[in-house]
Amino acid sequence: MPLACAPFVPDGGEWADPKGVLMVLEATSHDADTDRRDRKEKRDGYAAAGIPVHLLIDRESCTLTVHSDPEDGSYRDSPSLPDGASVTVPAPVDITLDTEPLKEFAR
């Protein structure tokens, strides 16, 4: 089994163990409950699980938000940028991501 898949092997529960997950990349949906689910509940759940980085592509506001530095169930740093911008994803990912190519998929 590839190492990258190891954190997602189920152990009998509904949720997989987030140990080993460095980042979640996600785009908001066009559903009626997007604000509650995609912008709040998922963000808070990822932070509570200790996932270091959550990159949210917000298709409604055309922004990218890099949530990082989780502590006590919330992210301490959450800068937002316009979509298409170059985004610095902090450690432990530690990359600069050109999001211009993602714009066509985020509409």
Side-chain angles (χ1 to χ4, degrees):
M1 171 180 8
L3 182 59
C5 294
F8 299 103
V9 175
D11 62 357
E14 183 178 335
W15 297 100
D17 184 352
K19 183 180 179 183
V21 176
L22 300 180
M23 180 174 128
V24 173
L25 170 64
E26 146 168 45
T28 57
S29 66
H30 291 299
D31 296 338
D33 63 347
T34 289
D35 187 54
R36 176 185 52 80
R37 189 186 66 237
D38 293 345
R39 296 185 187 105
K40 296 173 185 162
E41 290 177 353
K42 288 182 179 182
R43 174 203 63 204
D44 295 347
Y46 299 146
I51 295 174
V53 179
H54 171 217
L55 176 58
L56 180 66
I57 300 169
D58 194 313
R59 295 166 20 158
E60 184 178 315
S61 67
C62 299
T63 60
L64 304 153
T65 303
V66 183
H67 301 288
S68 63
D69 198 13
E71 184 177 284
D72 297 326
S74 62
Y75 287 108
R76 297 187 320 159
D77 197 19
S78 296
S80 290
L81 303 156
D83 66 356
S86 287
V87 176
T88 300
V89 180
V93 180
D94 202 23
I95 62 169
T96 299
L97 179 63
D98 176 12
T99 65
E100 185 66 32
L102 298 177
K103 286 171 66 173
E104 71 179 277
F105 301 107
R107 300 291 173 244

